[in-house]
Amino acid sequence: MKHTFKIEVMKGFPNTENGIEKGVSAPFGGVVNDYLIIAGGCNFPDKPVFEGGKKHYYKGVYAANVAQGNCLSWTKVGELPVEAGYGVSIPSPKGIYMIGGNNLEGSLKDAYEMLFDSQTMSVQFNKLPSLPCTLDNMTGTIVNNHIVVAGGVADGAPSLKVLSLNLSDVNSGWVEVTTLPSSPRVQPVCAAIDNKFQLWGGFYDGSKGGDPVVYTEGLQFDLTKKEWQQLGFIGKDEAHSLTTVGAAAVQLNANEVLLTGGVNKDIFFDAISGAYKMVEKQNYLKQPVEWYRFNGTLMLFNAKTNSWTETNLSSPHLARAGALMVCAKNAVYYVGGELKPGVRSAEVSKITWE
């Protein structure tokens, strides 16, 4: 059955921390009991990065009831243990698992479950075992009651690690279950399909040797058999494929994944490879928003056909990098991100389907 998707721009963004009203990239978040939660993230509150602006991280945790129409009324319900962004958020039974991330001090090893109480409008944090390394810009999900995180930047270097935490026995701590085949993947996306871990995209900047790569295809890891398998491209073929760098993805159900946003693979590769054929390096951050060609098409993965297809929805409201994408009962919320490197958006969009 083919879905018809539509987008609605919501009103309202948190504004109680100085500068946060300009929008944030890479926050933690989720939906708990009809409340959209946003926590942390970062921006350049004073002036843009290309004018020498300094990055600022936030620690506030905000909640807004999404059952009350298209105007979001935000309440600050608590604070993260430290300012942070660029970690992984995964829905938990009573809140959100929050893993890793970074801030101006460096990368983090922290992992915890944030519990949200909608009666008292407050949060509490249950600490999980710390990661064996600092980790940010990775991806993660729950497969067969194990939190699985993969790729990203571990101890300051692009990572091949795939780590797992057994939620039935958290005291046993994190285990490195395997490594990614070929080179590291920073900023991939993932899903849990048929009790297997599926991962797509990401990039490697060549900093540990070998060539830079912007990945557009996927991999599947069977945690039982400990085997990797190649998956197809995000798009109909390699020539028309998308990367996940800066993109956001969310799993709708056992068989379907949505993905949108993220950078243009050719423009991004031109920069990370050091070629700068499209624009001089000193001018890379100074181009207008349209020049960067961030992806504004909503893509749908179907596990039964093992393929990604373009949906009917393509919108400039989706063309952001570093946005948060979270699933509610009958909608997906797309929060913040950047319109171009260093320029944030304070927009919250709601995606629904028939």
Side-chain angles (χ1 to χ4, degrees), residues 28-32 35-39 89 91 95-96 98 324-327:
F28 296 91
V31 174
V32 187
Y35 282 84
L36 175 59
I37 310 284
I38 303 176
S89 310
I96 304 161
M98 297 180 173
L324 171 72
M325 198 177 190
V326 295
C327 206

Side-chain angles (χ1 to χ4, degrees), residues 187-208:
Q187 294 185 6
V189 301
C190 71
I193 308 273
D194 192 24
N195 275 338
K196 298 178 180 73
F197 179 72
Q198 296 199 343
L199 164 142
W200 293 271
F203 77 97
Y204 169 58
D205 63 4
S207 59
K208 290 177 77 177

Side-chain angles (χ1 to χ4, degrees), residues 1-161:
M1 187 176 77
K2 196 162 183 181
H3 300 298
T4 304
F5 291 90
K6 62 181 184 181
I7 187 168
E8 175 186 9
V9 178
M10 313 291 279
K11 297 185 183 79
F13 199 80
N15 60 10
T16 49
E17 281 173 287
N18 190 29
I20 199 170
E21 71 283 351
K22 295 185 176 178
V24 291
S25 258
F28 296 91
V31 174
V32 187
N33 299 335
D34 281 335
Y35 282 84
L36 175 59
I37 310 284
I38 303 176
C42 64
N43 66 11
F44 294 85
D46 302 319
K47 54 185 178 181
V49 61
F50 57 84
E51 291 176 12
K54 290 191 165 45
K55 186 180 273 191
H56 181 80
Y57 285 80
Y58 296 88
K59 67 190 295 192
V61 180
Y62 301 89
N65 191 332
V66 294
Q68 293 176 346
N70 69 350
C71 196
L72 297 171
S73 177
W74 294 93
T75 303
K76 189 177 180 196
V77 294
E79 290 191 335
L80 296 175
V82 294
E83 298 90 353
Y86 298 101
V88 161
S89 310
I90 303 169
S92 84
K94 294 177 183 171
I96 304 161
Y97 294 115
M98 297 180 173
I99 300 147
N102 63 28
N103 59 26
L104 293 176
E105 307 286 306
S107 190
L108 303 167
K109 290 185 175 183
D110 306 337
Y112 37 80
E113 182 182 19
M114 186 185 77
L115 308 178
F116 170 65
D117 186 332
S118 56
Q119 302 302 122
T120 60
M121 292 297 282
S122 64
V123 291
Q124 69 178 69
F125 295 91
N126 286 349
K127 196 144 176 39
L128 296 171
S130 292
L131 293 157
C133 52
T134 66
L135 198 58
D136 59 72
N137 286 283
M138 68 292 200
T139 189
T141 188
I142 293 178
V143 187
N144 202 11
N145 210 36
H146 289 67
I147 296 177
V148 179
V149 294
V153 177
D155 287 338
S159 175
L160 292 162
K161 294 178 193 291

Side-chain angles (χ1 to χ4, degrees), residues 311-324:
T311 68
N312 67 294
L313 181 58
S314 191
S315 166
H317 296 291
L318 296 176
R320 302 185 226 151
L324 171 72

Side-chain angles (χ1 to χ4, degrees), residues 211-258:
D211 296 326
V213 192
V214 179
Y215 287 104
T216 60
E217 89 297 355
L219 296 166
Q220 173 176 286
F221 185 69
D222 187 321
L223 278 87
T224 310
K225 295 180 179 172
K226 302 277 195 286
E227 288 175 359
W228 284 103
Q229 186 182 335
Q230 197 76 23
L231 296 175
F233 293 95
I234 302 173
K236 60 183 180 185
D237 54 38
E238 187 172 7
H240 301 89
S241 61
L242 296 171
T243 183
T244 65
V245 177
V250 72
Q251 191 159 347
L252 291 184
N253 51 49
N255 291 304
E256 291 179 313
V257 182
L258 283 181

